[in-house]
């Protein structure tokens, strides 16, 4: 082989190697899929950082998030370690002044009572919509939870800045919580019905 052909082939090889290297460096990064059965990360509230994955209530946040996935109930873990749940007004109380919780809100409170029983040091903050019936609605929330074994002193009233939703926060006091693994919590159902259907099935 003549020196000219040898140099030509060598140049071609160098061009191919450069092209392959360019393909590798420009290939978009792919997000690894979670392992089968692994809980998905709970999305944080808009504009707020996510809950640390090792927070004591992280497993409760994932459990609640899986239970109410696909429903109007919003669940998010917050940076301070608390779990935030937002229930739209039309699923919580009959407007404008009814005090009794509707079945969807009752279903949410029932699940929160289970979390409170697993975490004896945790507290629940509840913020019903402001208005004339605010105090009566807060009392009804406490009464419902008391019927599920949660004493009223573990449920604190919080001011609400919204009139179209009920805000519930599972609060983690420093140093007083048990850190649970996902395997210790009840499995979430494969198909989660809407809140109204979930409440009717839970009351049977």
């Amino acid at each position: 082989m003549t020196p000219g052909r040898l140099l030509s082939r060598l140049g071609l090889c160098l061009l191919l190697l450069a092209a392959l290297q360019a393909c590798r460096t420009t290939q978009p990064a792919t997000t690894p899929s979670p392992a089968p059965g692994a809980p998905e990360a709970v999305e944080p509230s808009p504009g707020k950082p996510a809950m640390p994955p090792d927070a004591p209530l992280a497993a409760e946040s994932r459990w609640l998030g899986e239970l109410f996935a696909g429903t109007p109930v919003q669940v998010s873990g917050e940076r301070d370690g608390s779990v935030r749940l937002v229930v739209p007004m039309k699923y919580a109380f009959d407007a404008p002044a009814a005090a009794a919780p509707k079945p969807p809100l009752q279903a949410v409170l029932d699940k929160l009572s289970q979390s409170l029983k697993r975490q004896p040091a945790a507290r629940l903050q509840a913020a019903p919509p402001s208005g004339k019936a605010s105090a009566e609605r807060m009392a009804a929330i406490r009464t419902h939870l008391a019927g599920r074994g949660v004493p009223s002193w573990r449920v604190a009233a919080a001011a609400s800045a919204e009139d179209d939703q009920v805000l519930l926060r599972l609060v983690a006091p420093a140093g007083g919580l048990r850190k649970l693994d996902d395997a210790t919590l009840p499995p979430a159902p494969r198909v989660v019905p809407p809140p109204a259907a979930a409440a009717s099935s839970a009351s049977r």
Side-chain angles (χ1 to χ4, degrees):
M1 184 180 295
T2 62
R5 290 185 178 180
L6 181 61
L7 289 175
S8 177
R9 289 192 177 184
L10 180 60
L12 181 60
C13 290
L14 291 175
L15 287 174
L16 288 174
L17 288 173
L20 289 173
Q21 185 65 29
C23 291
R24 290 176 181 174
T25 55
T26 57
Q27 185 178 2
T30 57
T31 303
S33 302
E40 297 180 359
V42 177
E43 293 295 328
S45 303
K48 295 186 178 181
M51 171 186 285
D54 59 345
L57 289 178
E60 298 289 351
S61 179
R62 289 189 291 268
W63 181 71
L64 291 165
E66 291 175 359
L67 281 174
F68 295 107
T71 76
V73 179
Q74 301 175 19
V75 181
S76 59
E78 300 193 319
R79 184 65 182 177
D80 62 0
S82 62
V83 185
R84 172 190 173 99
L85 296 92
V86 176
V87 184
M89 179 63 178
K90 66 178 181 179
Y91 298 108
F93 298 101
D94 284 320
K102 295 177 73 171
L105 177 57
Q106 293 178 22
V108 175
L109 295 174
D110 290 347
K111 298 306 179 185
L112 283 171
S113 70
Q114 296 180 28
S115 294
L116 287 166
K117 289 176 182 178
R118 285 191 291 265
Q119 295 287 359
R123 302 290 183 270
L124 181 68
Q125 295 177 351
S130 58
K132 294 181 179 180
S134 179
E136 289 80 3
R137 287 169 171 170
M138 186 66 217
I141 289 175
R142 283 196 174 107
T143 299
H144 183 88
L145 288 170
R148 301 298 185 271
V150 179
S152 59
W153 57 266
R154 297 187 65 189
V155 185
S160 176
E162 305 289 343
D163 292 333
D164 59 349
Q165 65 185 33
V166 174
L167 173 62
L168 302 164
R169 293 180 73 242
L170 192 61
V171 182
L177 294 178
R178 300 165 54 204
K179 183 177 178 181
L180 301 178
D181 296 325
D182 295 285
T184 64
L185 302 183
R190 293 183 179 179
V191 178
V192 181
S200 61
S201 61
S203 61
R204 292 178 184 175

